[in-house]
Amino acid sequence: MEYERDHNTSSSSPPSLCKQLASSTLRGSFLNIPVVDLSASDEELVVRAVVKASEEWGIFQVVNHGIPTELMQQLQVVGKQFFDLPEAEKEAVAKEEDFEGYKRNYLEGIKAWDEHLFHRIWPPSCINYKYWSKNPPRYREVNEEYTRHMKKLTEKILGWLSEGLGLPPVALTKSLGGEMAEYVIRVNFYQPSPKSELALGAAVHTDIGAITLLVPNEVPGLQVFKDEQWLDLEYINSAVVVIIGDQLMRMSNGRYKNVLHRATLDKENLRILWPVFVAPKHDLFVGPLPELTGDENPPKFETIVYKYYLHQTIRNWTLDKLPLY
Ligand code: OGA
Ligand code: NI
C-alpha cells in the first residue's frame, strides 16, 4: 500500500492525505476487519489468524481473550464517572508540562473536539499516581487490575507475532524492553457533536508505539483506511481492538502493517474509548530486528532511539498541521 513506502523514514505523517480524505466512507459497512476468537482449541489457527490480520490489516478484534467482562465494565464505569465530575475536579489532575493528565479540547474552529485522561500504567517505577484520579475512589484499584490483564494479553499477542516472524515467543517483548516496556492508558471522551460531519475527535494517524489494545463503548466512530476506503469498526460487546503501531511495523521490517485510522464524532451519542498504548522503553534503539535482515532482506527502516522517533513524529504532526477533516 502506498503509505507504507512513505513510512520508511522516521516521520510518519500520512502521505497523500487529501486523496485519502477525499475517499468515501463505507458507513455501515463493517466489512472484513478480522475478528479472532482466542478460545479456539487449535492455537496454531489462532496464531495464523493474528499474524495474517497483522500483515494484511494492521487491526483486528479479539474475543474470548480472558479479560473478565465484569472488569471491562468496571473500567468503563470508573472512567465515565471521572468525566462526569465537575470541571474543577477534573482540573485537579490537569495535564502540565508532560503528556500525562486531563485535557479538554473543544475548539471553536471545530478542529478538535475531545477530552481525555492520559497516564502511565506500567512499569510501576514510571507511574505517577498524581494523574490517576482519586475520584471515583475505585479508579486506581480497577485500573491496576486492568493493567495486569492488559499486560498479559499484550505479551500473549506479541508472542504469537514473534512466532509469525520465525522467532522465539519472547523476541518482540524483549525488544521493547521486557518488563520496562511502557504501557499508557488514554481515556478518550467525545461529547456528541452537532457538527459531526465536519469535526473529528482524533485526526488521521497511525499509532506511534508498538501495539495498542483498545476497548470502545458501543457507539461506532473509529474508522480505518483500507483499500482507498474508510471503514467503520464494528462494535462487538467485550471485544478488544488490537492496532499495530509504527514500531511493530519497523521491527518486523514491514511484515506487520501499521494502520491509518481516525476518530469521528457522533451527533447524538457520547463516544468513550480506552486505548492502552504499548511502546518501547524510551532509550532503546528500535528498528528491524537483526534476525530478520541480511543480504537478501535489507532493512527497510532506519534504527533509531525510540524517544527521537516519538518526538520527531509528534513535531511533524504539529508542523504539518494535519487537516483534521
Ligand atoms: C487513539 C485513537 C480512536 C478513537 O487514541 O490513538 O486512535 O476513536 N483513538 O478514540
Ligand atoms: Ni490511534
Side-chain angles (χ1 to χ4, degrees):
M1 257 168 285
E2 174 186 25
Y3 57 83
E4 284 164 40
R5 205 175 47 241
D6 292 79
H7 280 234
N8 262 354
T9 64
S10 56
S11 155
S12 68
S13 302
S16 314
L17 211 49
C18 295
K19 187 170 155 220
Q20 291 169 15
L21 294 172
S23 317
S24 59
T25 297
L26 281 183
R27 265 270 165 219
S29 162
F30 297 124
L31 286 174
N32 299 336
I33 291 178
V35 178
V36 185
D37 182 347
L38 301 191
S39 69
S41 56
D42 185 347
E43 193 178 338
E44 255 326 291
L45 288 182
V46 174
V47 177
R48 251 188 278 153
V50 163
V51 167
K52 188 167 178 336
S54 304
E55 289 173 338
E56 294 177 3
W57 281 82
I59 184 168
F60 53 98
Q61 307 205 51
V62 294
V63 295
N64 296 319
H65 40 62
I67 303 180
T69 306
E70 162 78 12
L71 177 62
M72 292 173 75
Q73 282 162 354
Q74 285 301 311
L75 179 83
Q76 304 195 24
V77 167
V78 294
K80 175 77 167 39
Q81 283 172 338
F82 169 77
F83 283 99
D84 286 341
L85 293 173
E87 201 54 36
E89 279 202 58
K90 288 187 276 188
E91 291 295 335
V93 293
K95 187 186 300 241
E96 290 161 317
E97 66 286 346
D98 200 6
F99 68 87
E100 287 184 281
Y102 166 71
K103 178 111 196 283
R104 185 171 196 268
N105 247 331
Y106 290 127
L107 299 180
E108 258 323 293
I110 57 162
K111 281 236 153 175
W113 187 272
D114 84 300
E115 284 177 56
H116 62 254
L117 176 63
F118 218 158
H119 56 79
R120 294 187 172 94
I121 56 176
W122 189 270
S125 58
C126 293
I127 291 178
N128 189 345
Y129 285 112
K130 180 171 146 192
Y131 297 110
W132 296 46
S133 184
K134 301 260 179 309
N135 200 354
R138 293 198 61 227
Y139 187 87
R140 174 166 167 175
E141 177 195 336
V142 171
N143 274 269
E144 279 179 341
E145 178 71 6
Y146 187 67
T147 300
R148 280 192 281 279
H149 283 277
M150 274 287 112
K151 187 159 175 287
K152 214 163 116 189
L153 181 58
T154 301
E155 289 176 355
K156 196 187 258 187
I157 294 171
L158 288 175
W160 293 330
L161 292 177
S162 300
E163 282 182 48
L165 297 170
L167 301 173
V170 293
L172 286 170
T173 299
K174 222 162 121 187
S175 303
L176 296 176
E179 289 299 300
M180 295 304 285
E182 185 181 79
Y183 289 62
V184 182
I185 196 166
R186 181 173 151 141
V187 189
N188 291 338
F189 182 92
Y190 306 114
Q191 297 274 14
S193 164
K195 301 171 183 162
S196 70
E197 297 91 358
L198 298 174
L200 280 181
V204 181
H205 66 283
T206 59
D207 287 353
I208 303 174
I211 192 166
T212 305
L213 271 65
L214 174 153
V215 173
N217 77 346
E218 71 288 357
V219 181
L222 177 57
Q223 298 184 331
V224 305
F225 195 72
K226 168 88 167 143
D227 300 339
E228 309 291 311
Q229 299 271 358
W230 285 104
L231 303 177
D232 284 299
L233 179 89
E234 178 190 12
Y235 172 72
I236 301 174
N237 192 12
S238 297
V240 172
V241 182
V242 180
I243 298 174
I244 302 294
D246 297 353
Q247 306 316 313
L248 276 191
M249 174 183 71
R250 290 158 37 74
M251 292 159 81
S252 67
N253 206 24
R255 271 276 304 281
Y256 300 135
K257 306 291 185 270
N258 60 0
V259 62
L260 276 172
H261 56 285
R262 66 182 184 185
T264 60
L265 303 171
D266 194 273
K267 272 201 169 66
E268 281 145 28
N269 301 297
L270 172 70
R271 294 190 64 231
I272 173 162
L273 301 91
W274 288 258
V276 169
F277 303 101
V278 182
K281 182 172 181 295
H282 281 206
D283 57 2
L284 285 183
F285 278 91
V286 179
L289 299 182
E291 302 91 313
L292 304 179
T293 58
D295 291 343
E296 311 255 297
N297 287 307
K300 296 182 179 145
F301 306 92
E302 59 176 328
T303 295
I304 57 170
V305 176
Y306 177 63
K307 185 167 51 185
Y308 294 125
Y309 183 96
L310 179 69
H311 293 162
Q312 218 167 1
T313 305
I314 292 174
R315 204 186 56 208
N316 285 338
W317 281 357
T318 324
L319 291 178
D320 286 348
K321 298 220 178 319
L322 290 177
L324 295 166
Y325 54 89

